[in-house]
Amino acid sequence: MDLDERPAYAHRRTDGPGAGCLTVAVRIPVRVVVLLLVLPVRLVWDALVATARGLDRIALRPLGRACAWLYTSVLTPVARGLARAVGGPATAVWQWVVVPVVRYGAVVPAVWIHRYLLTPLGQGIRRLHETLLTPLGRGLGVAVVWLGRALLVWPCATLWRYVVVPVAVHGVARPLRWAYRRLLTPLGRGCAGLLTVLGRGGVRLLTALAYGGVRLLMLLVVTPVTWGYRRILAPVGREVRAAFAVAWRVAGYLSRAFWRALGLVAWQLVGRPARWTYRRVCTPLGHWTRDRVWAPARAAGAVAGRAARDALRWTAETVRGARRDVWGALTGVPEGPWPVEPPEHRARTLGSTTIVPGVAPVPETSPHSVGRVRDPG
């Protein structure tokens, strides 16, 4: 295959007029080295993907179906049965025990106490507050306010107005104002002008130093780094990226070929003999076992089970008839008519000469006779 072909998602080509000798010299060795590095990774990746798919098909899907069947056919009926077994008694206990006890043991007394004790007591306290405590509190508040004004506010206001203010204005404020106007204001203006001149010179000096430093940084650092990135790192990076893309695709082709060859060898050595054994040996043996052994055994088991059921049914009917005979012999009153024979697999009767294997014969009497069986003697 052509190692110079570009991937479909590549937007820029390095083999055009802008590609230099460095790009052409680096391209082939880089692609060879990257292919040698990527090929084992691609082989392991394809093996993991195939293993995961086989595990999902062989184990995870049947396990999920088994879990779904277990949930639907086992856990859900068991949970419903438990809910019916436990929910009914729990609901009855809640409805007939817990609710009446809580209602008549706590709620009804609490409502009665609130309605007939707490509500009248609260209304009495509210009326006492409105009629007595509120006017008394208002009067006490007015008296305290008036007393505080007479003892504190009025003397302090008189002292402030006629003593403190005149002394402060004439003794302190005028000298301070004169000092501010004649001394502090000229001194502040001079300091502000000096600082303005020094600040402008410092700013110009710092600006010149910063500009020179930036130009020096651009010349010594940024320009070489930019040239190295554009001329060296960018072409090498593009070639490495393209080499990884090409190597991944080539490794995919080689990995598919390797695993297909390995699978073909495994099929020829294991799969084909196993299929031949299954088709030529296991399948005929299984069919012969199903047709010659399992089917006759199943039919014989069905016949034996049917005969056993009929024997048990007829034994039960015989015991019931004997009980009726004993009851009639003891009391003299027949308990009821003789039970009707089962419609299927009847034993030999007066109108039939067929005998079913394993079934007791019916007594030689009419099916419409009542009471006990009469003794012929």
Side-chain angles (χ1 to χ4, degrees):
M1 62 182 303
D2 188 8
L3 297 178
D4 292 335
E5 62 177 0
R6 306 296 295 172
Y9 53 83
H11 300 286
R12 299 183 60 184
R13 298 182 61 88
T14 58
D15 53 355
C21 60
L22 180 62
T23 303
V24 177
V26 168
R27 180 177 300 162
I28 301 301
V30 167
R31 292 191 177 184
V32 172
V33 173
V34 170
L35 177 61
L36 295 178
L37 294 176
V38 170
L39 182 59
V41 178
R42 185 58 186 262
L43 290 173
V44 174
W45 175 260
D46 291 339
L48 291 177
V49 170
T51 304
R53 290 177 180 175
L55 182 63
D56 176 69
R57 182 177 299 175
I58 296 173
L60 296 181
R61 292 182 184 178
L63 181 61
R65 293 176 185 147
C67 292
W69 177 86
L70 179 65
Y71 175 78
T72 305
S73 302
V74 178
L75 297 181
T76 301
V78 170
R80 290 178 179 175
L82 291 177
R84 292 176 181 177
V86 178
T91 304
V93 170
W94 173 263
Q95 184 175 359
W96 301 104
V97 177
V98 177
V99 172
V101 168
V102 173
R103 181 176 180 181
Y104 296 103
V107 177
V108 173
V111 171
W112 185 87
I113 292 172
H114 178 270
R115 181 177 299 175
Y116 295 103
L117 293 179
L118 298 180
T119 301
L121 182 62
Q123 292 179 356
I125 294 174
R126 180 174 59 83
R127 291 178 182 177
L128 178 63
H129 178 269
E130 292 178 354
T131 56
L132 181 61
L133 297 180
T134 300
L136 182 60
R138 289 178 181 176
L140 290 177
V142 172
V144 170
V145 169
W146 185 85
L147 184 62
R149 288 180 180 179
L151 295 178
L152 296 176
V153 177
W154 293 341
C156 293
T158 302
L159 181 63
W160 174 264
R161 181 177 297 177
Y162 296 104
V163 177
V164 177
V165 172
V167 171
V169 170
H170 297 287
V172 179
R174 288 182 180 179
L176 290 177
R177 185 172 59 182
W178 181 86
Y180 175 76
R181 288 182 178 180
R182 302 298 181 181
L183 296 178
L184 298 179
T185 301
L187 182 60
R189 290 177 179 176
C191 292
L194 180 61
L195 291 176
T196 301
V197 173
L198 293 177
R200 289 178 180 176
V203 168
R204 290 179 180 177
L205 179 61
L206 292 177
T207 303
L209 292 176
Y211 182 74
V214 170
R215 292 298 300 270
L216 184 62
L217 181 64
M218 292 288 293
L219 182 62
L220 296 179
V221 178
V222 177
T223 301
V225 170
T226 304
W227 182 86
Y229 175 77
R230 289 180 179 178
R231 300 299 181 181
I232 299 176
L233 295 180
V236 171
R238 286 194 296 267
E239 290 301 325
V240 169
R241 183 181 62 184
F244 268 103
V246 174
W248 185 258
R249 287 188 281 116
V250 173
Y253 297 147
L254 296 178
S255 174
R256 293 191 190 95
F258 173 76
W259 290 116
R260 286 174 182 173
L262 187 62
L264 182 61
V265 172
W267 171 252
Q268 295 295 334
L269 295 178
V270 179
R272 188 180 294 275
R275 186 180 67 174
W276 182 89
T277 303
Y278 176 77
R279 288 184 177 180
R280 302 298 181 181
V281 178
C282 295
T283 300
L285 182 61
H287 290 174
W288 181 86
T289 304
R290 182 191 61 188
D291 297 336
R292 301 294 181 179
V293 178
W294 175 250
R298 184 177 180 182
V303 172
R306 191 179 304 112
R309 287 194 300 270
D310 293 339
L312 292 176
R313 187 184 303 111
W314 187 248
T315 302
E317 295 295 336
T318 304
V319 172
R320 193 177 296 113
R323 182 179 58 82
R324 288 192 179 94
D325 293 340
V326 172
W327 177 259
L330 294 175
T331 59
V333 179
E335 185 176 334
W338 186 262
V340 180
E341 295 182 2
E344 58 179 358
H345 305 296
R346 296 181 178 179
R348 184 173 61 86
T349 60
L350 293 177
S352 175
T353 58
T354 304
I355 298 177
V356 178
V359 178
V362 179
E364 299 292 338
T365 58
S366 175
H368 299 287
S369 62
V370 295
R372 61 187 180 276
V373 178
R374 298 177 179 178
D375 190 0

